[in-house]
């Protein structure tokens, strides 16, 4: 769908001051909570585990400098939910730090024996962590790569967010998921009327170029943008096209070249629009 693509692109855009580098350079923390670990791999060299599909968090580069007897020298985003020390990882980008995904969610599922109460428990832990003044001191924004699943982990993390941005592909299965997710957000918001989860926008992704847009795609897109439909008012005013230069997650990288597509002249306009959408939603800046 483009969750990891969107999360990592936004992280890079905000950290570098937009495609032209002239905006404010935000200090960004990326939390990967997706078991596929793609955001982790986009920013860190993860440790392969022999005989396993999953990757382990690498040894922290400051393991020799940080003196903490309770620390194992590695961290995943799941550590936030436990009373263990958490040290974010630096990346190749000055303003981007990361906590990689643990892959497996078993440790979280064992937090409480009653699955029903796990989501609110996670929300509480996340909120507590987010409200630490030290975090606000170190970062301007925390970006979470979180799948829209109904799992308590996913739901619990969504409950602690302040803003949400939703990618969708212009095809039926993906589009059907959007009103469902918006419904869930509406239900979450019933319980937090004072500080509702704000929808930054639904961003269509992998939209074929005009010449390749099939009748079916066109109908699907029109359905999304229908002002009388459930998604219309949340749609972003632009979309991201299907582009070869965006096909980057297939080749994990940890250096600047990973984000070359942001400066690709074909993509520049939509990258600028994406940057403006996030900057204006979060900081109210008209660029
Ligand atoms: N607009 C796009 N055009 C071409 N490829 C894209 C586009 N958006 C994402 N991709 C590629 O599609 C794949 C899946 O995207 P990804 O963001 O990893 O999805 P998700 O995190 O939702 O599973 C990745 O290889 C990514 O680079
Ligand atoms: Mg992903």
């Amino acid at each position: 769908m483009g969750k990891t693509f969107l999360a990592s692109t936004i992280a890079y855009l905000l950290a570098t001051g937009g495609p032209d580098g002239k905006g404010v350079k935000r200090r960004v923390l990326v939390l990967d909570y997706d078991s596929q670990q793609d955001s982790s791999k986009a920013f860190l060299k993860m440790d392969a585990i022999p005989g396993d599909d999953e990757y382990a968090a690498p040894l922290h580069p400051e393991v020799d400098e940080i003196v903490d007897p309770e620390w194992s020298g590695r961290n995943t985003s799941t550590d936030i939910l436990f009373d263990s020390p958490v040290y974010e990882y630096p990346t190749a980008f000055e303003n981007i730090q990361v906590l990689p995904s643990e892959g497996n969610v078993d440790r979280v599922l064992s937090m409480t024996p009653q699955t029903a109460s796990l989501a609110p428990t996670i929300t509480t832990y996340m909120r507590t962590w987010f409200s630490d003044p030290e975090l606000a001191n170190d970062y301007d924004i925390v970006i979470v790569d979180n799948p829209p699943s109904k799992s308590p982990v996913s739901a619990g993390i969504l409950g602690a967010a302040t803003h949400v941005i939703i990618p969708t592909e212009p095809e039926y299965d993906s589009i059907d998921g959007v009103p469902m997710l918006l419904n869930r957000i509406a239900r979450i918001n019933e319980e937090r009327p004072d500080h509702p989860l704000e929808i930054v926008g639904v961003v269509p992704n992998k939209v074929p170029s005009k010449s390749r847009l099939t009748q079916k795609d066109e109908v699907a897109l029109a359905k999304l943008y229908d002002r009388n439909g459930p998604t219309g008012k949340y749609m972003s005013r632009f979309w991201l096209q299907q582009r070869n230069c965006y096909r980057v997650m297939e080749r994990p990288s940890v250096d600047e070249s990973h984000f070359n597509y942001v400066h690709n002249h074909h993509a520049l306009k939509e990258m600028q629009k994406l940057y403006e959408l996030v900057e204006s939603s979060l900081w109210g800046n008209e660029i």
Side-chain angles (χ1 to χ4, degrees):
M1 256 189 304
K3 297 178 292 293
T4 300
F5 177 69
L6 209 55
S8 55
T9 303
I10 292 170
Y12 178 80
L13 284 168
L14 294 179
T16 55
D20 61 9
K22 288 182 182 157
V24 180
K25 294 182 171 59
R26 308 285 178 189
R27 296 161 305 163
V28 182
L29 172 60
V30 176
L31 300 183
D32 188 2
Y33 275 102
D34 195 323
S35 56
Q36 291 194 332
Q37 303 179 303
D38 288 329
S39 285
S40 312
K41 288 182 234 163
F43 290 108
L44 295 178
K45 195 171 184 316
M46 299 288 282
D47 272 358
I49 307 171
D52 203 322
D53 296 342
E54 274 162 30
Y55 289 78
L59 205 57
H60 198 287
E62 284 147 36
V63 68
D64 292 329
E65 288 119 74
I66 299 170
V67 184
D68 186 337
E70 282 171 39
W71 185 44
S72 69
R74 297 172 198 261
N75 279 121
T76 69
S77 58
T78 301
D79 293 329
I80 293 172
L81 308 174
F82 295 83
D83 293 321
S84 46
V86 176
Y87 296 97
E88 302 90 78
Y89 289 77
T91 69
F93 310 97
E94 200 189 336
N95 287 336
I96 305 179
Q97 308 246 93
V98 175
L99 280 172
S101 161
E102 182 144 322
N104 200 326
V105 294
D106 287 355
R107 187 156 65 108
V108 192
L109 296 179
S110 68
M111 273 176 83
T112 145
Q114 301 142 306
T115 312
S117 64
L118 185 51
T121 305
I122 290 172
T123 299
T124 305
Y125 267 86
M126 292 295 291
R127 285 219 181 116
T128 306
W129 199 75
F130 283 149
S131 61
D132 183 342
E134 226 175 279
L135 192 79
N137 205 30
D138 290 345
Y139 303 105
D140 299 309
I141 180 171
V142 181
I143 296 176
V144 184
D145 187 353
N146 188 26
S149 100
K150 289 202 182 91
S151 88
V153 181
S154 218
I157 289 156
L158 185 63
T162 59
H163 294 73
V164 61
I165 185 162
I166 305 165
T168 179
E169 286 180 38
E171 49 97 22
Y172 286 99
D173 280 354
S174 185
I175 286 177
D176 280 351
V178 177
M180 282 193 268
L181 183 56
L182 293 173
N183 263 334
R184 282 175 56 207
I185 292 170
R187 252 176 285 134
I188 288 175
N189 281 345
E190 281 167 15
E191 282 163 41
R192 43 185 282 193
D194 301 336
H195 47 97
L197 189 47
E198 198 177 305
I199 295 158
V200 172
V202 177
V203 181
N205 183 30
K206 293 197 183 178
V207 179
S209 64
K210 224 177 176 79
S211 57
R212 292 211 198 121
L213 200 67
T214 63
Q215 180 90 29
K216 220 172 146 218
D217 287 332
E218 231 178 301
V219 171
L221 266 176
K223 185 180 164 195
L224 274 178
Y225 280 94
D226 178 4
R227 297 296 292 182
N228 301 315
T231 53
K233 72 170 180 172
Y234 299 107
M235 298 309 295
S236 70
R237 297 292 109 208
F238 67 95
W239 59 59
L240 303 174
Q241 268 190 19
Q242 172 100 50
R243 295 182 192 280
N244 280 334
C245 67
Y246 290 158
R247 297 174 59 200
V248 284
M249 297 316 165
E250 293 146 27
R251 48 170 184 88
S253 168
V254 288
D255 60 33
E256 195 99 25
S257 71
H258 184 80
F259 294 99
N260 277 350
Y261 58 84
V262 166
H263 309 286
N264 181 304
H265 69 283
H266 295 295
L268 211 51
K269 245 191 196 151
E270 55 195 40
M271 288 292 107
Q272 181 68 26
K273 290 246 157 71
L274 176 62
Y275 174 60
E276 286 173 14
L277 173 70
V278 178
E279 266 287 328
S280 61
S281 301
L282 277 107
W283 292 282
N285 295 340
E286 294 301 329
I287 299 164

